[in-house]
Amino acid sequence: MGKRAADKPGLTDAQQKRSKRYHTMVDRVRNPHSAFEISPGMKGFFVTCNRNREKKSATEIIDLLEEYAAKLYPGLEEEIENEADEDADDDTAKASGGSIEDEIAREVAGMKSRSKPKLFRYLSATIDCLVFIKCHRKIDPEKMVQFIFDDLTKTMQRKTRFTSRLIPAKITTTSKLDAIVKGSAEVAKDLLAEDAEPTTFALVVNIRYCDELKRDDVIRAVAGPLDVKHKVDLKNAKYTLVIEAFKSMCTIGLVENYNARKRLNLQTLFDEPVVKKPKSPEAEAETEDESSQNCSTEETKTKDIAEQDAAV
């Protein structure tokens, strides 16, 4: 029996169920991100972050994506806004009558035309350390992630604090094996084409809170068609198919030079250990001279101390 039902003794089973549904809906209204909002057909970005930092990670990632979207897709917001204005004008024209419903429709159309289009939207995965960012249909997540990592590797300017991995979700499907195989074939259709040149590939499969799905089954089913023409290379593959299954959903994306891009980990990109440069022969000679001088000084001090002890 639930906590709320236990506080109200004497309720029937039906009353307890209605009470539970009521409080569940109240919780969803008070905390809109407590509901699982991801559905098949979406595309965007699968993000991992520090525990209890999901909202902060979503905020900084959206800022990062908006910054690079302005570079990669200049004028896209204006284009989307113009399309929204045209749709609003059509809705207003359709609702040109004098009824109350038509007046409400005109008001809604006016609100749509005034609102700024959103290229990215945070959706809750209801799992600790996981965030999903939905993007506009005209944005290519794979192209954008690779563009971001290439630029950050060049500038080495840290722009995130709580985010770990930023993974493109070209396609979102259910976590059923047949749906994953179909979605993977769609994402890797260029590699499966008859005129595709032989290359190397790898799979990265992560499964969370999805007991019915087995990692080995996914690897065999997805790698089978690719293995006909291409060769597996786990260390330095040209293309890597990243499959992230969680609860009832699964995101799929294709990344070039996955390992060279630090496995799409923003923290690893900036936290790499500093490699010491080899010293020149002149510097090594100076170091040897200093060490020999220090040794001779120490020997002299030791000798002086021994003579003083002997005199005493």
Side-chain angles (χ1 to χ4, degrees), residues 145-298:
V145 167
Q146 293 174 170
F147 179 75
I148 289 173
F149 271 85
D150 290 345
D151 185 72
L152 292 179
T153 303
K154 186 185 304 181
T155 61
M156 291 305 293
Q157 182 180 359
R158 185 188 289 270
K159 299 185 178 182
T160 57
R161 179 181 176 186
F162 307 103
T163 304
S164 297
R165 300 175 68 211
L166 177 62
I167 304 168
K170 184 67 173 290
I171 287 180
T172 303
T173 69
T174 62
S175 57
K176 300 294 183 181
L177 182 59
D178 55 349
I180 295 175
V181 173
K182 183 178 179 181
S184 300
E186 176 65 23
V187 172
K189 60 182 179 181
D190 292 338
L191 297 178
L192 296 174
E194 295 182 358
D195 57 347
E197 296 183 0
T199 183
T200 56
F201 78 96
L203 297 182
V204 174
V205 181
N206 294 314
I207 300 175
R208 302 174 177 86
Y209 298 96
C210 188
D211 297 334
E212 297 180 356
L213 191 64
K214 304 302 179 184
R215 185 172 179 271
D216 292 341
D217 296 340
V218 175
I219 293 175
R220 281 194 295 266
V222 174
L226 292 170
D227 203 21
V228 174
K229 181 177 293 188
H230 309 295
K231 183 180 179 181
V232 177
D233 188 349
L234 300 179
K235 293 184 178 181
N236 193 25
K238 175 67 175 177
Y239 297 97
T240 301
L241 197 63
V242 185
I243 300 173
E244 298 283 347
F246 54 101
K247 288 191 174 181
S248 60
M249 291 291 109
C250 180
T251 64
I252 306 171
L254 187 67
V255 183
E256 288 189 43
N257 301 321
Y258 177 76
N259 290 332
R261 291 188 168 100
K262 306 301 179 184
R263 301 174 65 86
L264 304 185
N265 193 316
L266 291 169
Q267 293 184 358
T268 304
L269 178 64
F270 296 102
D271 295 341
E272 282 290 313
V274 178
V275 179
K276 295 184 178 180
K277 296 182 179 180
K279 294 183 178 181
S280 61
E282 294 80 4
E284 290 182 356
E286 292 178 359
T287 303
E288 290 179 358
D289 293 339
E290 291 178 358
S291 61
S292 61
Q293 291 176 2
N294 293 334
C295 291
S296 61
T297 304
E298 292 294 333

Side-chain angles (χ1 to χ4, degrees), residues 12-52:
T12 63
D13 292 341
Q15 289 174 333
Q16 291 177 9
K17 290 181 180 179
R18 283 197 298 270
S19 177
K20 184 177 180 180
R21 285 198 296 267
Y22 168 77
H23 288 291
T24 301
M25 295 304 297
V26 170
D27 291 340
R28 289 185 179 181
V29 172
R30 291 177 179 173
N31 184 12
H33 292 302
S34 64
F36 191 79
E37 304 173 289
I38 307 169
S39 59
M42 293 181 176
K43 70 175 182 176
F45 305 88
F46 181 89
V47 180
T48 64
C49 62
N50 300 338
R51 188 180 298 276
N52 299 327

